[in-house]
Amino acid sequence: MCSHCSCGQPAASVEPTPQHRTLQLRHNLLASNDAAAEHNRQRFAAAGLLVVNVLSAPGSGKTAILEQLARQWLPAPVGVIVGDLATDNDARRLRAAGARAVQIQTGDLCHLEAAMVGRAFDQLDNHGMELLLIENVGNLVCPTAFDLGERLRLAVLSVPEGEDKPLKYPALFKSADAVMINKLDLAEVVDFDRTAALANLAGVAPQAQIFELSARTGAGMGALLHWLSQQRQPMAAA
Amino acid sequence: MHELALMEEVRRIAMAAAAAEGAQRIHSVKLTVGRLSGVDPGALAFAFEVVMADGISQGATLDLEVVPTVCQCGGCGQRFEPVDVIHACPRCGELSSELLAGRELEVTGLEVS
């Protein structure tokens, strides 16, 4: 009934005053990526694959290292899921080295996400495969937070980038199971301070295995291959 | 600049929470971010402006809480906040430690009406 007089008309509807309220939430921004990563991890385990996420700055020699692994991991074929901004150059190089490569063209995206890797894996023939390498987008910041479902994370530091890279990008190096110091054949030319680099890595990433190598000459690749095959053994036995 | 991708997720979470609450407007969003989470506060603020510009989140403000890195020493068990990127234990000097906090990337609050 009208509250102003006794006219008998229905009361005018009054817009309720919007009530400000604060909601307490606890929602992880990476939750949906993490769920997709876990799904990938289960698929990779079911397929008996050792999956390695390889991260570095652009131009540090990721593709060259992967080419060496594809040539030397015998007799099984190596799979590579490669993220590249605009070209398929890396995928073509990797196929020429004998890898089964699937390209994810990332456009402007600065990192790979687990769902993209899952879709790329759908396109990959993994029959007879033991090792699947994921070549992330060249970037030392953005890919760090995104779990792709990998078993191992490898970071590459090439000697022309300088010994202090681990101090500048600690989050990436702290998340790595192994660090490959690449382009050792250039160490003298660029005055690389090996002692300082190793000390920086020991300080920032004490958990990481260190491999010193040159993907161009092939030097030091043996130790990396041996370590990767050791990492696969517990899976093969399971 | 993965902050933009993360902020898209913030918007999705905020819109879902606001809808569940029957809210008409989002006034502010609180984000809790660890120092080791690899995000840049400036880039987050920029991405927030872009992503929240339209609809019920128009004009919303970002409340950013940065939480420190906390480690537990693998040698002596001491809890500490590292002073730099080398997480050396202040008690025994051990470098290997477990990260207890510092990687957070969470929506922790929402002001709506």
Side-chain angles (χ1 to χ4, degrees), chain A residues 104-116:
Chain A
I104 301 176
Q105 214 168 79
T106 52
D108 290 333
L109 198 64
C110 49
H111 61 277
L112 292 181
E113 295 183 11
M116 304 161 101

Side-chain angles (χ1 to χ4, degrees), chain A residues 18-30 32 110-111 113 141-142 146 167 170-171 174 202-204 206, chain B residues 1-2 5-6 9-10 13 17 21-23 27 36 38 85-87 95 103 105-113:
Chain A
Q19 289 290 310
H20 271 253
R21 49 209 192 275
T22 304
L23 314 179
Q24 304 287 333
L25 301 175
R26 181 134 197 212
H27 207 121
N28 185 347
L29 297 188
L30 295 168
S32 55
C110 49
H111 61 277
E113 295 183 11
V141 180
C142 307
F146 294 88
L167 303 178
K174 282 181 189 302
V204 171
Chain B
M1 192 58 194
H2 63 309
L6 293 173
E9 189 68 8
V10 169
I13 292 165
E21 188 68 15
H27 298 280
L36 259 187
V85 299
I86 295 177
H87 297 175
L95 289 174
R103 290 231 164 96
L105 269 179
E106 293 174 347
V107 178
T108 46
L110 205 59
E111 197 193 331
V112 298
S113 66

Side-chain angles (χ1 to χ4, degrees), chain B residues 33-46:
Chain B
V33 169
R35 276 202 193 285
L36 259 187
S37 62
V39 294
D40 176 68
L44 276 181
F46 170 76

